[in-house]
Amino acid sequence: MPQAPTTTAKVKVLVVCNAYPSEKALYRNGFIHRRTKAYVAAGIEVEIFYHHEPISKAYSYEYDGVFVTVGNSSALEEKASRSEYDAFLVHFAEEKRVEPLLKQTDHRPVIIWIHGFEAEAWHRRWFNFIESAQQIREAIAKRDTYYEPQLAYFHDLVERNDPRVSFVNVSKWFEQHVVQPDLGVRFKDSRVIHNLVDTEIFPYVEKTANQRKNILSIRPYASRKYANDQTVKAILHLSERPFFSDLSFTIAGQGKMFEDTTAPIAKFGNVKLMNRFFNQEEISALHRQHGVFLSPTRFDSQGVSMCEAASSGLVNLSTSVAAVPEFFTDHVDSLLAAPESPEDLADNIEELYFNPDLFSRLSKAGSERMTRQCGVGATVNMEIDLIKEKVKG
């Protein structure tokens, strides 16, 4: 983890979230754990409350030096009532995760990170329910049982203008084009702070020109959001071009859609399919072996995996949609395809194949941008400053 600045202020915070890593579930909300370790490095004391409503009796465990309590909203209210905490930091704000904190009669700050589904209209992920009437029925049911009540609650939370409450959005695009219009609000106390890209785990390693032929995709296969079908179609387009056999593809990831999605390209000898989960160290090793990261998308509030790949020096090939252009600029530090255009993705791979100088330039520029925009100085250090600012009042 990059070193955060040490603070002399004795601050203790309670981080409230919907999941947290443990020895048996190493990667559940790992992005929250990375923040936690940076806060600790800065001299802030941190405890975690993993809110899980079905838990009738709270229990605790320690993970990587961090103390974690698991419990329901009643246990959270009891925990929050203790005066030892100077601030509450909330990830994935839902009513039973926030209201126990606001029941406290003091003025301790509550900082809420907005990540995605908890502040989006039900139709934002339209791509997940277009294949059958059953999917549409399920989406409408979830609209009624979750999305509309959740957005109504979040709207009221923002509109209260409680002086204790402030918000963090992970991108300007997400705040301006999704969260504010979907909630029907305008934030009065909000910051934009991107998710961290850990440059120690994903350092820049200079690529050889030949690595432009080695193309990597590491994506979840549980949602059409990640546009893995476009990756497959792009490879099919390339298979009709004379240089195809000079390329190699590693298609990695895990999820219920993996086998069906990748079946059309399983026949190619230069396509390697890896259907499993990869930890950060394994991902970093794959980054070192490849030169291009293929990551089309249909909806991203940031796109951390593509940012990590760019940090490692891979040239990111993604889609000019959602928040992606806030982090990448076409032909400056990446190549961006038009939405829903696998042929554009194939053309971008071809452009790099015939232009090794462009590949080298984009590789270095993409990594430099990630350090500036998503490195520790631009992310967790800003969060640490925000926490200290709110605690001071």
Side-chain angles (χ1 to χ4, degrees):
M1 170 64 63
Q3 292 298 308
T6 301
T7 174
T8 57
K10 292 184 178 180
V11 173
K12 185 171 185 177
V13 300
L14 182 67
V15 174
V16 182
C17 55
N18 65 342
Y20 202 78
S22 67
E23 294 300 334
K24 293 185 178 180
L26 294 176
Y27 309 109
R28 301 190 70 182
N29 282 352
F31 65 94
I32 299 177
H33 183 61
R34 290 193 289 277
R35 284 174 163 85
T36 297
K37 297 296 285 186
Y39 300 163
V40 171
I44 295 175
E45 293 185 61
V46 184
E47 284 190 21
I48 306 296
F49 191 94
Y50 169 177
H51 170 246
H52 191 46
E53 202 58 26
I55 301 298
S56 57
K57 185 176 181 180
Y59 64 92
S60 300
Y61 66 90
E62 187 172 306
Y63 173 73
D64 193 22
V66 178
F67 186 77
V68 182
T69 299
V70 185
N72 60 22
S73 55
S74 297
L76 175 58
E77 185 173 348
E78 190 279 328
K79 188 89 165 169
S81 68
R82 302 176 188 177
S83 59
E84 62 189 286
Y85 304 110
D86 298 300
F88 304 112
L89 316 182
V90 182
H91 294 269
F92 300 102
E94 296 176 339
E95 184 171 3
K96 290 184 177 181
R97 207 166 290 135
V98 175
E99 291 307 309
L101 309 177
L102 297 182
K103 284 183 180 178
Q104 311 310 312
T105 57
D106 53 34
H107 300 288
R108 287 179 291 176
V110 178
I111 306 173
I112 294 172
W113 275 256
I114 305 175
H115 294 284
F117 69 89
E118 78 279 23
E120 296 171 5
W122 72 281
H123 55 78
R124 288 289 179 183
R125 301 184 184 229
W126 56 269
F127 36 77
N128 284 329
F129 49 87
I130 61 174
E131 294 180 351
S132 71
Q134 177 63 24
Q135 286 181 331
I136 295 172
R137 284 192 292 270
E138 290 172 356
I140 292 173
K142 194 169 184 180
R143 175 198 66 185
D144 297 337
T145 59
Y146 178 78
Y147 280 102
E148 290 190 350
Q150 168 64 15
L151 264 63
Y153 168 71
F154 217 138
H155 169 91
D156 291 344
L157 176 63
V158 176
E159 289 293 288
R160 283 183 219 173
N161 291 320
D162 189 318
R164 295 172 293 175
V165 179
S166 57
F167 300 90
V168 177
N169 284 279
V170 297
S171 64
K172 291 179 183 177
W173 176 87
F174 189 57
E175 179 184 57
Q176 294 174 2
H177 297 283
V178 176
V179 179
Q180 290 189 152
D182 285 7
L183 297 182
V185 299
R186 300 288 293 180
F187 288 114
K188 298 197 171 48
D189 190 354
S190 171
R191 309 283 174 90
V192 171
I193 304 176
H194 303 318
N195 286 306
L196 170 70
V197 172
D198 192 332
T199 55
E200 287 191 357
I201 297 176
F202 302 106
Y204 172 70
V205 178
E206 185 174 357
K207 300 296 180 184
T208 66
N210 205 49
Q211 284 183 292
R212 75 192 188 283
K213 304 173 186 177
N214 300 342
I215 298 144
L216 173 67
S217 170
I218 309 175
R219 310 289 273 168
Y221 280 77
S223 165
R224 287 174 57 84
K225 162 187 169 180
Y226 300 100
N228 295 310
D229 56 303
Q230 291 184 31
T231 292
V232 168
K233 290 175 183 176
I235 294 172
L236 291 172
H237 279 297
L238 289 165
S239 71
E240 299 172 354
R241 304 184 186 186
F243 58 91
F244 177 66
S245 61
D246 203 23
L247 304 174
S248 70
F249 299 86
T250 300
I251 309 300
Q254 190 177 52
K256 61 184 180 181
M257 302 170 69
F258 187 93
E259 290 186 3
D260 286 346
T261 302
T262 61
I265 56 174
K267 61 186 177 184
F268 295 124
N270 58 343
V271 174
K272 183 177 183 180
L273 302 179
M274 305 176 75
N275 182 4
R276 66 178 182 86
F277 182 86
F278 293 81
N279 63 35
Q280 286 195 311
E281 289 72 22
E282 291 174 314
I283 292 171
S284 182
L286 286 171
H287 285 178
R288 290 192 292 274
Q289 297 163 17
H290 296 80
V292 175
F293 194 71
L294 189 53
S295 57
T297 184
R298 292 187 168 97
F299 186 89
D300 264 303
S301 57
Q302 176 171 342
V304 174
S305 64
M306 63 181 80
C307 292
E308 291 172 343
S311 177
S312 296
L314 283 79
V315 176
N316 183 51
L317 306 188
S318 189
T319 313
S320 186
V321 70
V324 174
E326 189 171 331
F327 297 86
F328 296 97
T329 303
D330 184 46
H331 282 84
V332 174
D333 45 47
S334 64
L335 294 178
L336 301 182
E340 302 297 326
S341 181
E343 190 167 6
D344 266 11
L345 292 170
D347 289 346
N348 287 340
I349 291 172
E350 178 168 343
E351 183 173 6
L352 292 177
Y353 179 81
F354 287 108
N355 193 340
D357 290 340
L358 175 65
F359 166 76
S360 297
R361 178 170 63 80
L362 296 180
S363 169
K364 186 169 178 52
S367 181
E368 290 174 347
R369 180 168 183 176
M370 288 305 103
T371 299
R372 291 193 309 271
Q373 191 166 337
C374 299
V376 65
T379 57
V380 290
N381 283 2
M382 292 179 65
E383 294 181 358
I384 290 165
D385 289 343
L386 175 61
I387 293 165
K388 291 191 289 183
E389 172 192 321
K390 295 298 180 182
V391 168
K392 286 181 180 179

